[in-house]
Amino acid sequence: MTTAEPRLPAPPLTTTDVLKATALLLIVVDHVGHFLADDWGILRVIGRLGVPIFFFLIGFARTRDVPWSWPALGILLTGIDYLWLGSLEDVQLNILFNFAAIRLALPLVERFLARSFLRLALLLLGCALLLPLVNPWLEYGAEGWLFAAFGLMHRKAIADASFSPLRDLAGLVAFVIYAMVEQRDYGFGLPNTVFMVLGLAAIAMILWDFRRGDSIIQPPSGLRRALRFCGRHSLEIYAAQIVLLAALGSLWSTDGNDTETGDADDQAA
């Protein structure tokens, strides 16, 4: 008679896993608001807090490979956006295309910036000037590039303290411009704007202190495995939840229209 081998404990949860899982959760909340509860503006506010994390990590990472799944899923999700909106007028290329473009461009950007404060300032200014041109057709357009520059400068500041002023400039510009653009685009009222600014300030503090390594907090093994899975498959989960929520939103809309039609028929009768 054999006995089952004891299950090994889950590997440690890393700080990158925690950041990715947090960003994913915030974006899921945002998409619930987009597809199912567009009257609840607070859900869209919460969603604004997750986007900087993903772009920051794209810039922070050393890898420059672009998985084939990024453009493939980007095409799928852009198509879903088109079906949801019903026209091409407001459709933007999915954020995954922005991730891919940044990752491909980062080697050139890194060589261009070197240690030059002036070159970084020119890059940040260029991104700011490109906002009106790029953002209408690419999700988070030049805003994403600002956060990627922040992530890149943060990685360099960890290795060499002389990059800290460059990191601080990139982060400050990224968060200020992002808050202004998102408030304008969504038309948030004063309470939601204050909530967004405070939330972004909290995210900024977390990113400024970010270091790769094991998380200080290690939850129970089962939760640790779940969070690691979310962290390592965050973009696939991101795509899957859009497909699911768009489908639920379409059914919700159809049921609502059917109910309204039935009420109208009853009144007519």
Side-chain angles (χ1 to χ4, degrees), residues 123-190:
L123 176 69
L124 300 177
L125 177 61
C127 288
L129 293 175
L130 286 173
L131 285 168
L133 298 177
V134 179
N135 283 32
W137 57 270
L138 180 64
E139 281 189 337
Y140 301 103
E143 297 167 83
W145 289 67
L146 292 171
F147 282 111
F150 173 38
L152 173 62
M153 291 297 101
H154 182 63
R155 172 163 60 80
K156 289 184 171 297
I158 292 174
D160 185 344
S162 66
F163 280 94
S164 293
L166 300 178
R167 184 268 316 274
D168 295 344
L169 173 65
L172 178 62
V173 171
F175 275 100
V176 169
I177 289 181
Y178 180 75
M180 293 172 61
V181 171
E182 296 303 299
Q183 195 284 328
R184 181 202 64 194
D185 288 351
Y186 285 88
F188 295 135
L190 182 58

Side-chain angles (χ1 to χ4, degrees), residues 207-225:
L207 296 183
W208 247 279
D209 287 335
F210 175 73
R211 301 290 187 278
R212 285 193 186 278
D214 292 344
S215 173
I216 297 175
I217 300 176
Q218 294 292 330
S221 182
L223 179 57
R224 202 156 67 238
R225 291 180 190 277

Side-chain angles (χ1 to χ4, degrees), residues 37-234:
D38 57 0
D39 291 336
W40 292 12
I42 188 63
L43 300 181
R44 310 310 309 275
V45 174
I46 293 172
R48 303 306 95 212
L49 308 183
V51 172
I53 297 174
F54 275 127
F55 280 108
F56 171 88
L57 290 175
I58 291 288
F60 185 88
R62 291 184 179 275
T63 179
R64 296 296 176 250
D65 295 332
V66 176
W68 67 267
S69 59
W70 289 15
L73 291 174
I75 292 171
L76 170 66
L77 298 178
T78 302
I80 289 176
D81 195 30
Y82 165 71
L83 294 175
W84 180 260
L85 295 173
S87 71
L88 287 173
E89 183 178 356
D90 295 322
V91 171
Q92 296 171 296
L93 291 176
N94 184 263
I95 193 175
L96 291 174
F97 288 109
N98 209 355
F99 289 166
I102 290 172
R103 181 163 282 187
L104 291 173
L106 272 175
L108 296 175
V109 172
E110 190 168 358
R111 285 197 292 271
F112 169 76
L113 292 178
R115 296 172 182 268
S116 172
F117 189 92
L118 177 60
R119 290 186 178 187
L120 176 62
L122 289 174
L123 176 69
L124 300 177
L125 177 61
C127 288
L129 293 175
L130 286 173
L131 285 168
L133 298 177
V134 179
N135 283 32
W137 57 270
L138 180 64
E139 281 189 337
Y140 301 103
E143 297 167 83
W145 289 67
L146 292 171
F147 282 111
F150 173 38
L152 173 62
M153 291 297 101
H154 182 63
R155 172 163 60 80
K156 289 184 171 297
I158 292 174
D160 185 344
S162 66
F163 280 94
S164 293
L166 300 178
R167 184 268 316 274
D168 295 344
L169 173 65
L172 178 62
V173 171
F175 275 100
V176 169
I177 289 181
Y178 180 75
M180 293 172 61
V181 171
E182 296 303 299
Q183 195 284 328
R184 181 202 64 194
D185 288 351
Y186 285 88
F188 295 135
L190 182 58
N192 282 343
T193 298
V194 171
F195 183 89
M196 180 182 70
V197 169
L198 293 176
L200 288 175
I203 296 297
M205 292 174 62
I206 292 170
L207 296 183
W208 247 279
D209 287 335
F210 175 73
R211 301 290 187 278
R212 285 193 186 278
D214 292 344
S215 173
I216 297 175
I217 300 176
Q218 294 292 330
S221 182
L223 179 57
R224 202 156 67 238
R225 291 180 190 277
L227 291 174
R228 280 174 56 86
F229 181 83
C230 289
R232 283 160 172 70
H233 301 279
S234 56

